[in-house]
Amino acid sequence: MRFIHIADVHLGAQPDAGAAYTEDRPGELWDTLEKVLKICERDQTDLLLIAGDLFHRQPLLRELKEVDYLFSELTHTQVVLIAGNHDYIKKDSYYRSFTWSDNVHPLFGNRLGHVEFPEFETAVYGLSYHSREIGEALYDNCTAEGLQRYEILLAHGGDGKHIPFDRKALSESGFDYIALGHIHKPEALEKDRIIYSGALEPIDRNDTGVHGFVKGEIREGGVRTEWIPCAEREYVHLRIPVDEKDTSGSVRRKISKLKSEYNNKNIFKIILTGTRGADVVFDTGRMDDVGNILEIVDETRRKYDLERLSRENRDNVIGRFIGEFRDCEEGSVEELALSEGLEVLLEYKGRQI
């Protein structure tokens, strides 16, 4: 039995994006889902497992019609889904009344339910969120009931507010495969068996790393899985070292060069590190040459001419302050304190003048 496991698609989200991608990024979430569905159709995958948060919030009726149409075009694949904490089933949710195509099987109860596929000798179990937060460990007592030869659990959660679970209890539950959702980074809690597929696409600037889905196969000898990257873009945090010789122009060139090495289609957060000249101010607003930088954080510190400053301020607090740190080592905590303290003192002195 061949399956694909996805989670946290977050259709309808407005992901963090630079100026170049702000308008197109929501549509890319749909594009990536369609990419997965084309793989299902090409490979004649038996089951598409969606482990929660297909939508980023309560789905609109037109959105349900659209996604159901995409599922309905699958000629072989059966789709099983649960609702997660983002698209949880409210009292007035369209999830409650929507009529899905014959090959789509929602497990929308708030207690464990299942659907059987005798043609694949498989049963899939799952439950859905009916509130945004669930602190109860609902999965710890879930066990495979032996309804079919192969048994799978769809589960969404894993932290204190979203169905916490005990890994040992999951491991001993008897399921051949446990398809996890909620955590956006892919992670195997147990090789080939208990896996977070991660989000299909990142939607938050701190959601770094590659994203994709799990492709698996269950045979008599057990389960074999592989993780497939498929996201259109990544969020990348780049640390750019600078020194006192750098200017805004040279830093801009450094950023452009390093972005190209990391694929210039990605979306970046830039962190400037190191030292800058005492009279240099980086114009970070002019460093985005493509429009795919979300944020530039300046963590640099000024490089001061301590001998000159000491001579010019020998009779005031600035001179005495420098004297206290004169023998500190480069890169030490003391040097950082000296740099930050001088910046404050010199700014105050400038205001006094």
Side-chain angles (χ1 to χ4, degrees):
M1 193 281 293
R2 294 177 297 177
F3 66 87
I4 281 179
H5 159 206
I6 66 175
D8 301 284
V9 185
H10 289 283
L11 299 175
Q14 299 287 329
D16 288 340
Y21 302 125
T22 295
E23 292 183 6
D24 297 335
R25 192 74 183 118
E28 289 178 349
L29 306 184
W30 287 86
D31 294 341
T32 300
L33 175 61
E34 289 193 53
K35 188 189 305 183
V36 173
L37 298 180
K38 287 176 182 176
I39 294 171
C40 288
E41 184 64 16
R42 181 195 70 197
D43 297 346
Q44 293 291 280
T45 301
D46 298 318
L47 291 180
L48 173 61
L49 307 169
I50 306 176
D53 285 351
L54 176 60
F55 289 91
H56 188 62
R57 34 103 182 115
Q58 294 298 307
L60 303 175
L61 183 57
R62 60 177 174 80
E63 292 173 324
L64 286 178
K65 289 180 178 179
E66 186 66 33
V67 80
D68 182 63
Y69 169 74
L70 297 176
F71 292 154
S72 73
E73 288 200 307
L74 297 168
T75 60
H76 177 79
T77 305
Q78 300 292 312
V79 181
V80 188
L81 71 151
I82 59 175
N85 59 295
H86 276 269
D87 59 353
Y88 71 97
I89 300 175
K90 295 174 69 173
K91 290 183 178 180
D92 58 351
S93 173
Y94 287 114
Y95 269 153
R96 291 181 178 272
S97 57
F98 187 75
T99 301
W100 296 89
S101 295
D102 291 342
N103 68 324
V104 183
H105 309 274
L107 293 171
F108 283 166
N110 60 4
R111 287 295 181 264
L112 195 68
H114 69 271
V115 58
E116 296 184 56
F117 302 97
E119 66 272 31
F120 307 136
E121 299 182 278
T122 301
V124 181
Y125 298 71
L127 58 87
S128 288
Y129 282 64
H130 284 232
S131 59
R132 192 179 299 278
E133 296 180 357
I134 301 177
E136 186 180 354
L138 297 177
Y139 299 126
D140 285 359
N141 295 317
C142 293
T143 56
E145 298 178 10
L147 302 175
Q148 292 288 337
R149 184 176 187 176
Y150 307 127
E151 302 204 296
I152 294 172
L153 174 66
L154 289 184
H156 189 92
D159 63 41
K161 294 182 178 180
H162 305 97
I163 314 187
F165 57 74
D166 180 80
R167 292 191 183 190
K168 187 171 184 289
L170 278 187
S171 183
E172 296 174 352
S173 61
F175 292 102
D176 297 278
Y177 183 75
I178 299 176
L180 295 174
H182 183 59
I183 304 301
H184 284 197
K185 293 183 184 297
E187 180 184 4
L189 303 187
E190 185 176 315
K191 180 176 169 55
D192 288 328
R193 183 161 174 257
I194 306 175
I195 300 177
Y196 281 105
S197 64
L200 270 188
E201 286 275 351
I203 61 170
D204 179 87
R205 68 185 62 197
N206 294 314
D207 199 0
T208 56
V210 291
H211 291 76
F213 62 90
V214 175
K215 189 176 183 180
E217 186 172 356
I218 304 181
R219 294 175 175 268
E220 281 189 28
V223 185
R224 295 180 61 184
T225 63
E226 61 177 321
W227 188 81
I228 310 294
C230 72
E232 185 70 19
R233 308 184 200 287
E234 295 178 32
Y235 291 109
V236 180
H237 292 186
L238 288 182
R239 301 186 74 84
I240 309 289
V242 303
D243 59 38
E244 57 270 24
K245 297 177 183 177
D246 276 306
T247 65
S248 288
S250 65
V251 171
R252 184 167 60 247
R253 284 193 294 273
K254 285 184 179 182
I255 291 173
S256 181
K257 181 177 183 295
L258 201 53
K259 280 199 308 175
S260 296
E261 293 174 5
Y262 278 81
N263 185 348
N264 216 22
K265 289 177 61 179
N266 289 324
I267 303 171
F268 296 88
K269 175 180 178 179
I270 306 297
I271 304 101
L272 303 181
T273 64
T275 58
R276 66 187 188 278
D279 57 347
V280 172
V281 177
F282 292 133
D283 185 3
T284 57
R286 298 182 61 246
M287 292 181 178
D288 188 357
D289 57 340
V290 173
N292 59 346
I293 295 177
L294 282 173
E295 182 181 12
I296 298 179
V297 178
D298 187 355
E299 294 183 355
T300 62
R301 59 185 187 276
R302 296 182 188 278
K303 182 73 171 180
Y304 293 102
D305 185 340
L306 296 181
E307 292 299 327
R308 180 181 63 80
L309 284 174
S310 183
R311 288 195 307 271
E312 294 174 353
N313 297 276
R314 64 169 60 93
D315 297 325
N316 62 34
V317 67
I318 294 175
R320 292 194 295 274
F321 182 75
I322 293 172
E324 291 292 328
F325 291 90
R326 183 170 295 279
D327 297 324
C328 66
E329 295 182 6
E330 186 173 350
S332 66
V333 174
E334 289 80 6
E335 187 196 34
L336 178 60
L338 171 61
S339 178
E340 292 183 350
L342 275 177
E343 190 156 353
V344 172
L345 290 171
L346 290 169
E347 183 180 351
Y348 177 77
K349 180 181 179 182
R351 287 203 303 266
Q352 294 296 100
I353 293 171

Coordinates of all heavy atoms in Angstrom, one line a residue, residues 4 6 46-52 71 77-82 103-107 114-115 117 123-126 154:
I4 N 1.0 9.0 0.6 CA 1.7 10.2 0.8 C 1.1 10.9 2.0 O -0.1 10.9 2.1 CB 1.6 11.1 -0.5 CG1 2.6 10.7 -1.6 CG2 1.8 12.6 -0.1 CD1 2.5 11.5 -2.8
I6 N 0.9 14.4 4.2 CA 1.2 15.8 4.2 C 0.5 16.4 5.5 O -0.4 15.7 6.1 CB 0.7 16.6 3.0 CG1 -0.8 16.5 2.8 CG2 1.4 16.0 1.7 CD1 -1.4 17.3 1.7
D46 N -2.1 5.1 -3.4 CA -3.3 4.6 -2.9 C -4.0 5.6 -1.9 O -5.2 5.9 -2.0 CB -3.0 3.3 -2.1 CG -2.5 2.2 -3.1 OD1 -3.0 2.1 -4.2 OD2 -1.5 1.5 -2.7
L47 N -3.2 6.2 -0.9 CA -3.8 7.0 0.1 C -3.1 8.3 0.2 O -1.8 8.3 0.2 CB -3.8 6.4 1.4 CG -4.7 5.2 1.7 CD1 -4.5 4.7 3.1 CD2 -6.2 5.5 1.4
L48 N -3.8 9.5 0.2 CA -3.2 10.8 0.6 C -3.7 11.1 2.0 O -4.9 11.2 2.2 CB -3.7 11.8 -0.4 CG -3.3 13.3 0.0 CD1 -1.8 13.4 0.1 CD2 -3.9 14.3 -1.0
L49 N -2.8 11.1 2.9 CA -3.1 11.4 4.3 C -2.8 12.8 4.7 O -1.7 13.3 4.5 CB -2.3 10.4 5.2 CG -2.3 8.9 4.9 CD1 -1.2 8.2 5.6 CD2 -3.7 8.4 5.2
I50 N -3.8 13.5 5.2 CA -3.7 15.0 5.6 C -3.8 15.1 7.1 O -5.0 15.0 7.6 CB -4.6 15.8 4.8 CG1 -4.5 15.6 3.3 CG2 -4.4 17.3 5.1 CD1 -5.5 16.3 2.4
A51 N -2.7 15.3 7.8 CA -2.7 15.3 9.2 C -3.0 16.7 9.9 O -2.3 17.1 10.7 CB -1.4 14.7 9.7
G52 N -4.1 17.3 9.4 CA -4.5 18.5 10.1 C -4.0 19.8 9.5 O -3.0 19.9 8.8
F71 N -9.2 17.3 -5.4 CA -9.2 15.9 -4.9 C -10.0 15.0 -5.8 O -9.6 13.8 -6.1 CB -9.8 15.8 -3.5 CG -9.0 16.5 -2.4 CD1 -9.6 16.9 -1.2 CD2 -7.6 16.6 -2.5 CE1 -8.8 17.5 -0.2 CE2 -6.8 17.2 -1.5 CZ -7.5 17.7 -0.4
T77 N -6.4 7.7 -6.1 CA -6.0 8.0 -4.7 C -7.3 8.3 -3.9 O -8.1 9.1 -4.3 CB -5.1 9.2 -4.7 OG1 -3.9 8.9 -5.5 CG2 -4.6 9.5 -3.3
Q78 N -7.3 7.7 -2.7 CA -8.3 8.0 -1.7 C -7.7 9.0 -0.7 O -6.5 8.9 -0.3 CB -8.8 6.8 -0.9 CG -9.4 5.7 -1.8 CD -10.7 6.2 -2.4 OE1 -11.6 6.6 -1.7 NE2 -10.9 6.0 -3.7
V79 N -8.4 10.0 -0.3 CA -8.0 11.1 0.5 C -8.6 11.0 1.9 O -9.8 10.9 2.0 CB -8.3 12.5 0.0 CG1 -7.7 13.6 0.8 CG2 -7.7 12.6 -1.5
V80 N -7.8 11.0 3.0 CA -8.3 11.0 4.4 C -7.7 12.2 5.1 O -6.5 12.5 5.0 CB -7.9 9.7 5.1 CG1 -8.6 9.7 6.5 CG2 -8.2 8.5 4.3
L81 N -8.6 13.0 5.7 CA -8.1 14.2 6.4 C -8.7 14.4 7.8 O -9.9 13.9 8.0 CB -8.3 15.4 5.6 CG -9.8 15.9 5.4 CD1 -9.8 17.4 5.2 CD2 -10.4 15.2 4.2
I82 N -8.0 15.1 8.6 CA -8.6 15.5 9.9 C -8.4 17.1 10.0 O -7.6 17.7 9.3 CB -7.9 14.9 11.1 CG1 -6.4 15.2 11.1 CG2 -8.1 13.4 11.1 CD1 -5.6 14.6 12.3
N103 N -14.2 10.1 -3.1 CA -12.8 9.6 -2.7 C -12.2 10.4 -1.6 O -11.0 10.2 -1.3 CB -11.9 9.7 -3.9 CG -11.6 11.1 -4.4 OD1 -12.4 12.0 -4.3 ND2 -10.3 11.3 -4.8
V104 N -13.0 11.3 -0.9 CA -12.5 12.1 0.2 C -13.2 11.6 1.5 O -14.5 11.6 1.5 CB -12.8 13.6 -0.1 CG1 -12.2 14.4 1.1 CG2 -12.2 14.0 -1.4
H105 N -12.4 11.3 2.5 CA -13.0 10.7 3.7 C -12.5 11.5 4.9 O -11.4 11.3 5.5 CB -12.5 9.3 3.8 CG -12.7 8.5 2.6 ND1 -13.9 7.8 2.3 CD2 -11.9 8.3 1.5 CE1 -13.8 7.2 1.2 NE2 -12.6 7.5 0.6
P106 N -13.3 12.5 5.4 CA -12.9 13.3 6.5 C -13.2 12.5 7.8 O -14.3 11.9 7.9 CB -13.9 14.5 6.4 CG -15.0 14.1 5.6 CD -14.5 13.0 4.7
L107 N -12.3 12.6 8.8 CA -12.5 12.0 10.1 C -12.7 13.2 11.1 O -11.7 13.7 11.7 CB -11.3 11.2 10.5 CG -11.2 9.9 9.7 CD1 -9.8 9.2 10.0 CD2 -12.3 8.9 9.9
H114 N -12.7 6.0 12.4 CA -11.8 5.3 11.4 C -12.6 5.1 10.1 O -13.8 5.3 10.0 CB -11.4 3.9 11.9 CG -12.5 2.9 12.0 ND1 -13.3 2.8 13.1 CD2 -13.0 2.0 11.1 CE1 -14.2 1.8 12.9 NE2 -14.0 1.4 11.7
V115 N -11.8 4.9 9.0 CA -12.4 4.6 7.7 C -11.5 3.4 7.2 O -10.3 3.3 7.4 CB -12.3 5.8 6.8 CG1 -10.9 6.3 6.6 CG2 -12.9 5.4 5.4
F117 N -10.4 0.7 4.0 CA -10.2 0.5 2.6 C -9.8 -0.9 2.3 O -8.6 -1.3 2.3 CB -9.1 1.5 2.1 CG -9.4 2.9 2.4 CD1 -8.8 3.6 3.5 CD2 -10.2 3.7 1.5 CE1 -9.1 4.9 3.8 CE2 -10.5 5.0 1.8 CZ -9.9 5.6 2.9
A123 N -6.8 0.4 7.3 CA -7.8 1.2 8.0 C -7.0 2.4 8.5 O -5.8 2.3 8.9 CB -8.3 0.4 9.2
V124 N -7.6 3.6 8.4 CA -7.0 4.8 8.9 C -7.9 5.4 10.0 O -9.1 5.5 9.9 CB -6.9 5.9 7.7 CG1 -6.3 7.2 8.3 CG2 -6.1 5.3 6.6
Y125 N -7.2 5.7 11.1 CA -7.9 6.3 12.3 C -7.6 7.7 12.5 O -6.5 8.2 12.1 CB -7.4 5.5 13.6 CG -7.7 4.0 13.6 CD1 -7.0 3.2 12.8 CD2 -8.7 3.5 14.5 CE1 -7.3 1.8 12.8 CE2 -8.9 2.1 14.5 CZ -8.2 1.3 13.7 OH -8.4 -0.1 13.8
G126 N -8.4 8.5 13.1 CA -8.1 9.9 13.4 C -9.3 10.6 14.1 O -10.4 10.1 14.2
L154 N -3.8 9.1 12.0 CA -3.6 10.5 11.7 C -3.7 11.3 13.0 O -4.7 11.1 13.8 CB -4.7 11.1 10.8 CG -4.6 10.6 9.3 CD1 -5.7 11.4 8.5 CD2 -3.3 10.9 8.7

